[in-house]
Amino acid sequence: MAVTINGREIAEDVVSKVKLFAAELIKDSGITPGIAVVIVGEDPASQVYVASKGRKARECGFHSEQHTLSAETSEEDLVALVEKLNADPQIHGILVQLPLPKHIDSGRIIQTISPDKDVDGFNFINVGKLGTGEIGTAFVPCTPTGVMLLIERINGRDLSGLNAVVIGRSNIVGKPIFNLLLAHNATVTIAHSKTQDLASICRTADILVAAVGRSQMVKADWVKPGATVIDVGVNRIPAPERGEGKTRLTGDVDFEGVSEVAGAITPVPGGVGPMTIAMLMVATLVAAYRSVGKNPPRF
Ligand code: NDP
């Protein structure tokens, strides 16, 4: 029976370390890590995410700002706000909540964020650094760094000799996870919707990461005995057993079946999800350390 990887507990552990390192930076340098979260429009899901990021930042002892702009805000006004935040010494991390309204070019906004404050890791400079293995000075998207931290807890930091398979090749999840696994010396295969015989490829994996968005597609007979299985997927499916019209969250992995075969597995919810926000706090802390020329702590 697989070990269930408790993402909530690991995320709490990360946040408690962030708090300590933030307090140390404030004491030694007089610098309080600062994060600005920008939200355009009233998408309810985005409002919830942004509020929880602000709460977590305050819990870490950070300076936290939320800029809420109307859905009619022009692209030029948003660019001007990002440029102002780029120049603000109190702010070390800038996060523009996506998706943006259709009349705004998200790509232009992301490229306007200073690479040194790009805690989401979407700016081309940071994408390029990750792609060329310059991880020490890059910002990397937070869900992938959270995934890596969970893998490290099971398989260690050096994945030499291990085969990893990532299902999903998106720019914000699959590809950065691929690059991180490679940087940690795993032998990595990335699969996607055009891959043939996915099950056989998955069976080669000592580390299997599913980042697709298809409920419970990874079955027990796709998994090598003892493998580490990380389920990034978040799917909402009907749950009539809970009452009429009720739903529940599932991952991309058939948790019950795969638990019988894998060595370690993340649940959904409570696995990768809580890590994302914790790693955003880490990225902001790292940005603040770098801003004063200090070596950031490792997590
Ligand atoms: P995308 O939709 O951008 O990418 C999905 C990927 O899955 C694509 O590369 C696609 O292939 C591939 N895919 C689709 N169908 C299949 C299939 N049948 N077989 C193999 N591969 C397939 O999603 P994201 O990367 O943004 O997110 C993936 C999942 O992770 C989602 O469920 C999302 O909700 C979740 N997520 C969770 C987060 C967390 O904090 N826990 C954070 C971010 C995302 P192709 O490229 O060929 O189309």
Side-chain angles (χ1 to χ4, degrees):
M1 193 70 181
V3 170
T4 300
I5 304 171
N6 188 335
R8 287 201 184 99
E9 226 170 76
I10 298 172
E12 265 174 36
D13 178 44
V14 168
V15 167
S16 63
K17 286 187 185 133
V18 170
K19 279 186 211 167
L20 290 178
F21 286 121
E24 208 172 285
L25 185 68
I26 294 167
K27 189 164 130 270
D28 294 350
S29 311
I31 296 288
T32 303
I35 182 165
V37 182
V38 180
I39 176 166
V40 185
E42 268 123 43
D43 176 53
S46 294
Q47 304 257 8
V48 171
Y49 294 141
V50 163
S52 63
K53 286 167 186 170
R55 264 198 310 277
K56 195 59 82 182
R58 286 189 293 278
E59 188 189 324
C60 289
F62 292 0
H63 164 75
S64 163
E65 289 178 9
Q66 181 177 327
H67 297 262
T68 307
L69 308 180
S70 89
E72 286 74 45
T73 301
S74 71
E75 189 172 305
E76 293 315 315
D77 284 353
L78 185 54
V79 166
L81 172 61
V82 171
E83 282 172 345
K84 191 165 143 249
L85 294 169
N86 281 344
D88 184 344
Q90 265 200 306
I91 297 299
H92 304 98
I94 302 170
L95 190 148
V96 178
Q97 186 68 38
L98 301 175
L100 289 169
K102 288 201 168 44
H103 67 276
I104 296 177
D105 175 358
S106 306
R108 178 177 174 210
I109 302 301
I110 289 165
Q111 301 317 318
T112 304
I113 298 172
S114 162
D116 300 335
K117 298 190 178 189
D118 171 36
V119 281
D120 254 342
F122 294 160
N123 185 290
F124 288 149
I125 299 278
N126 286 312
V127 175
K129 283 184 174 181
L130 175 61
T132 51
E134 292 288 320
I135 293 179
T137 62
F139 286 105
V140 179
C142 299
T143 299
T145 54
V147 164
M148 280 312 293
L149 210 120
L150 297 180
I151 292 171
E152 271 177 40
R153 295 279 169 120
I154 303 295
N155 297 91
R157 217 179 261 274
D158 183 5
L159 305 176
S160 296
L162 297 179
N163 290 333
V165 173
V166 182
I167 322 174
R169 58 174 165 180
S170 72
N171 289 333
I172 61 169
V173 188
K175 279 184 201 146
I177 293 173
F178 168 88
N179 276 313
L180 286 171
L181 285 163
L182 195 59
H184 286 258
N185 299 326
T187 302
V188 199
T189 303
I190 190 159
H192 45 76
S193 69
K194 308 288 187 284
T195 298
Q196 302 288 310
D197 199 2
L198 185 55
S200 304
I201 290 171
C202 290
R203 275 194 289 274
T204 66
D206 301 297
I207 297 165
L208 178 60
V209 181
V212 180
R214 287 171 71 97
S215 180
Q216 301 171 80
M217 75 178 265
V218 175
K219 304 293 183 201
D221 63 353
W222 293 28
V223 175
K224 180 173 176 177
T228 300
V229 178
I230 307 289
D231 191 351
V232 187
V234 180
N235 311 289
R236 191 165 282 286
I237 62 163
E241 72 280 4
R242 292 184 176 181
E244 207 189 311
K246 297 281 186 204
T247 60
R248 67 184 175 96
L249 291 183
T250 65
D252 291 343
V253 175
D254 168 17
F255 182 83
E256 294 207 342
V258 172
S259 291
E260 301 286 332
V261 183
I265 184 169
T266 59
V268 176
V272 173
M275 294 303 292
T276 299
I277 193 158
M279 297 317 284
L280 175 65
M281 300 303 122
V282 170
T284 306
L285 180 82
V286 166
Y289 267 75
R290 287 182 188 159
S291 76
V292 288
K294 277 172 92 84
N295 276 337
R298 287 187 78 173
F299 283 81

